[in-house]
């Protein structure tokens, strides 16, 4: 029989694991709330604005997402590689280095973006609103990445979710008061005010958190200069830039080749697929990435591959189950989906594309954990170029059905290329181990 002290140790360990699991689910839930509220905000604006205004707002929302990506410079991959599994003091020191980097990056990039807005013909008021929104969206993105590095920064994620919920509520109230008479400027004003309040709250919290005393644990890394950070994330930024191109290329091709009604059908399916990818990134990919980097650093990459296999299996089963349930409900209650311009065959094709893309992203994560940054960039660029050419040919010959089938080419090529190189790297690891 185990002594009482052993039972206490076991109970403490079990309680700790349960606490970690509950905290992870809590954070995932908050992130899903933040993402859902932002998605509903964009959706309501698009449907409540007049048709021409809706198109303008959709374009501006795309520009905002792109500019916030430029401000982020993909620093997350390098940070996760360095601090995954380290102490809170080591994490905070590296995060403070990143904070200095973003300050310098803002001074270099933000004036160029503002000047570009003026040269593009934007009014000073519009450019000012967009600048506030872009900075707010970048801080919002970094808040979740900060929580992935150190759970103690969870108030940032809570503030991000609160900001998006209040922003959504404000637009709903404004839409009701104006009787559907929203304008792009009124929506941007709401967005900018919410972003300003959020920025003040976030910066204040960061300053207070950075001043808290923290015991040095001995695993701290040397300071990383701003130039070193630029170099460390240059390839990751290019990979992200190619990924952005991968998401936009099909939209450009479809919009160029197909009729307006066919483009509408394509985009309605695409929005649902995009929502599934966002849920994957929040609930699975971003949660698992730090663990994969830690295992790779500890020479346990094969264990990382097993973690990826389990996580992807869970996501694939859940997505397939939801798709089957949606088809069953549509069959039992009548053609509800067709009234919205949705077709079962096209929806199945897009879900297959999501499964291919998520599998390719997980292979890419393993490749990154093994130091294959340049290979990943080459794979993604190759997949985008060949996939875009195939999509153009199929959409030109077979119109809408060809566009849906062609949309599978880029994620399929990306998956095959990443899979081949991951297998090659693992084979090399086995040879070195023998």
């Amino acid at each position: 029989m185990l002594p009482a002290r052993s039972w206490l140790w076991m109970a403490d360990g079990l309680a700790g694991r349960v606490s970690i699991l509950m905290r992870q689910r809590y954070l995932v839930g908050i992130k899903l709330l933040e993402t859902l509220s932002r998605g509903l905000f964009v959706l309501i604006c698009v449907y409540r604005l007049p048709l021409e205004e809706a198109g303008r707002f959709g374009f501006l929302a795309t520009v905002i997402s792109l500019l916030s990506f430029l401000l982020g410079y993909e620093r997350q991959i390098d940070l996760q590689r360095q601090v995954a599994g380290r102490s809170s003091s080591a994490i905070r020191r590296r995060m403070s280095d990143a904070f200095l980097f973003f300050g310098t990056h803002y001074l270099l990039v933000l004036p160029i973006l503002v000047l570009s807005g003026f040269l593009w013909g934007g009014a000073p008021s519009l450019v000012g609103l967009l600048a506030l929104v872009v900075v707010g969206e970048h801080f919002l993105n970094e808040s979740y990445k900060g929580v992935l590095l150190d759970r103690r920064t969870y108030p940032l994620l809570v503030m991000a979710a609160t900001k998006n919920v209040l922003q959504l509520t404000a637009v709903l109230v404004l839409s009701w008061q104006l009787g559907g008479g929203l304008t792009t400027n009124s929506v941007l004003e709401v967005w900018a005010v919410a972003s300003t309040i959020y920025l003040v709250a976030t910066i204040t919290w960061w300053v207070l958190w950075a001043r808290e005393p923290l015991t040095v644990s001995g695993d701290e890394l040397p300071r990383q200069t701003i130039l070193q950070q630029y170099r460390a994330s240059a390839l990751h930024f290019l990979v992200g830039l190619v990924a952005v191109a991968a998401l936009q290329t099909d939209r450009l091709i479809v919009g160029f080749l197909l009729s307006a009604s066919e483009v509408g059908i394509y985009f309605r399916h695409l929005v649902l697929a995009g929502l599934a990818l966002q849920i994957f990134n929040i609930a699975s990919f971003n949660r698992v990435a730090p663990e994969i980097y830690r295992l790779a650093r500890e020479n346990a990459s094969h264990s990382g591959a097993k973690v990826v296999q389990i996580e992807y299996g869970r996501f694939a089963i859940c997505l397939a189950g939801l798709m089957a349930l949606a088809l069953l409900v549509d069959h039992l209650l009548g053609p509800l989906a067709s009234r919205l311009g949705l077709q079962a065959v096209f929806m199945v094709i897009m879900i297959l594309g999501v499964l291919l893309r998520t599998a390719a992203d997980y292979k890419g994560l393993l490749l990154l954990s093994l130091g294959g940054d340049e290979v990943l960039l080459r794979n993604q660029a190759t997949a985008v170029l060949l996939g875009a050419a195939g999509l153009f040919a199929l959409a030109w010959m077979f119109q809408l059905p060809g566009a849906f089938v062609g949309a599978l080419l880029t994620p399929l090529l990306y998956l095959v290329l990443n899979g081949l190189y991951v297998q090659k790297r693992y084979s090399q690891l086995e040879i070195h181990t023998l």
Side-chain angles (χ1 to χ4, degrees):
M1 185 174 180
L2 291 174
R5 182 174 297 178
S6 297
W7 284 109
L8 289 174
W9 285 343
M10 292 175 61
D12 287 343
L14 179 60
R17 287 192 292 271
V18 172
S19 176
I20 292 173
L21 182 60
M22 292 179 64
R23 187 160 59 248
Q24 287 179 341
R25 292 180 177 177
Y26 172 72
L27 293 175
V28 169
I30 295 176
K31 179 58 180 176
L32 287 174
L33 173 63
E34 181 259 310
T35 302
L36 180 61
S37 57
R38 187 189 186 280
L40 288 175
F41 167 77
V42 174
L43 184 67
I44 289 171
C45 291
V46 168
Y47 277 93
R48 294 292 288 174
L49 287 168
L51 187 58
E52 292 184 359
E53 288 280 316
R56 182 178 175 225
F57 174 79
F59 172 76
L60 290 177
T62 302
V63 170
I64 289 168
S65 298
L66 176 60
L67 296 183
S68 63
F69 164 77
L70 293 177
L71 290 179
Y73 197 70
E74 286 295 321
R75 283 293 298 135
Q76 181 70 1
I77 295 174
D78 178 56
L79 288 172
Q80 284 186 336
R81 276 180 175 175
Q82 296 187 61
V83 304
R86 295 186 183 273
S87 66
S88 294
S89 60
I91 294 174
R92 191 168 73 177
R93 175 174 292 185
R94 186 53 83 233
M95 290 174 74
S96 66
D97 292 342
F99 203 73
L100 291 175
F101 166 83
F102 284 126
T104 303
H105 191 57
Y106 269 43
L107 291 175
L108 295 174
V109 176
L110 201 56
I112 297 175
L113 298 181
V114 172
L115 180 60
S116 300
F118 287 133
L119 294 176
W120 190 263
S125 58
L126 177 62
V127 174
L129 291 175
L130 287 175
L132 287 172
V133 171
V134 168
V135 174
E137 291 301 300
H138 173 237
F139 268 65
L140 191 142
N141 293 334
E142 296 301 325
S143 68
Y144 180 54
K145 295 174 183 178
V147 174
L148 293 176
L149 295 176
D150 191 341
R151 298 289 192 237
R152 295 183 307 124
T153 62
Y154 74 92
L156 293 175
L157 186 58
V158 175
M159 286 189 284
T162 303
K163 176 254 184 188
N164 278 352
V165 170
L166 293 178
Q167 183 176 287
L168 170 62
T169 304
V171 166
L172 287 172
V173 172
L174 187 62
S175 176
W176 176 72
Q177 289 181 341
L178 297 178
L182 286 176
T183 64
T184 301
N185 285 340
S186 63
V187 171
L188 285 177
E189 288 171 359
V190 170
W191 203 345
V193 169
S195 296
T196 302
I197 297 172
Y198 170 70
L199 286 171
V200 172
T202 301
I203 293 173
T204 302
W205 187 93
W206 267 109
V207 172
L208 295 175
W209 181 71
R211 291 179 177 178
E212 289 182 359
L214 198 63
T215 304
V216 177
S217 301
D219 64 343
E220 287 77 15
L221 295 165
R223 289 291 182 182
Q224 192 177 25
T225 66
I226 294 172
L227 184 58
Q228 287 174 335
Q229 293 183 68
Y230 269 111
R231 290 174 177 172
S233 295
L235 274 176
H236 307 149
F237 175 71
L238 291 176
V239 169
L241 198 60
V242 174
V244 171
L247 292 174
Q248 301 297 331
T249 300
D250 63 330
R251 294 163 171 79
L252 296 175
I253 293 175
V254 168
F256 177 73
L257 291 178
L258 304 184
S259 65
S261 60
E262 289 175 323
V263 171
I265 293 173
Y266 183 84
F267 272 86
R268 287 189 174 183
H269 291 81
L270 188 67
V271 167
L272 297 177
L275 180 60
L277 283 173
Q278 284 186 326
I279 293 174
F280 162 77
N281 286 326
I282 298 167
S284 185
F285 187 89
N286 290 336
R287 178 175 55 83
V288 171
E291 179 70 7
I292 302 303
Y293 290 129
R294 182 187 66 82
L295 290 171
R297 196 176 67 239
E298 297 174 357
N299 296 320
S301 296
H302 285 85
S303 298
K306 292 179 181 178
V307 171
V308 163
Q309 185 178 10
I310 293 172
E311 282 293 325
Y312 177 73
R314 290 173 179 171
F315 173 77
I317 291 173
C318 289
L319 185 60
L322 288 174
M323 182 64 196
L325 179 61
L327 293 175
L328 178 62
V329 170
D330 186 63
H331 175 72
L332 294 177
L333 299 182
L336 298 176
S338 61
R339 299 173 190 172
L340 300 174
L342 302 176
Q343 298 182 29
V345 174
F346 293 156
M347 201 65 247
V348 170
I349 292 175
M350 296 304 284
I351 294 300
L352 177 58
V354 171
L355 292 175
L356 291 173
R357 176 70 198 200
T358 51
D361 284 343
Y362 259 140
K363 291 293 184 181
L365 175 62
L366 292 175
L367 196 55
L368 282 173
S369 70
L370 296 171
D373 305 51
E374 294 182 4
V375 174
L376 184 67
L377 175 60
R378 186 165 61 247
N379 289 350
Q380 195 164 50
T382 302
V384 170
L385 290 175
L386 295 179
L391 170 62
F392 186 93
L394 289 172
W396 180 66
M397 290 187 293
F398 303 106
Q399 298 302 299
L400 187 60
F404 277 101
V405 174
L408 298 178
L409 295 179
T410 294
L412 176 61
L413 290 169
Y414 191 38
L415 173 59
V416 171
L417 292 173
N418 284 349
L420 290 175
Y421 277 96
V422 167
Q423 188 63 38
K424 182 180 178 180
R425 291 295 177 101
Y426 279 140
S427 298
Q428 292 173 347
L429 287 176
E430 292 176 357
I431 292 174
H432 290 311
T433 305
L434 295 176

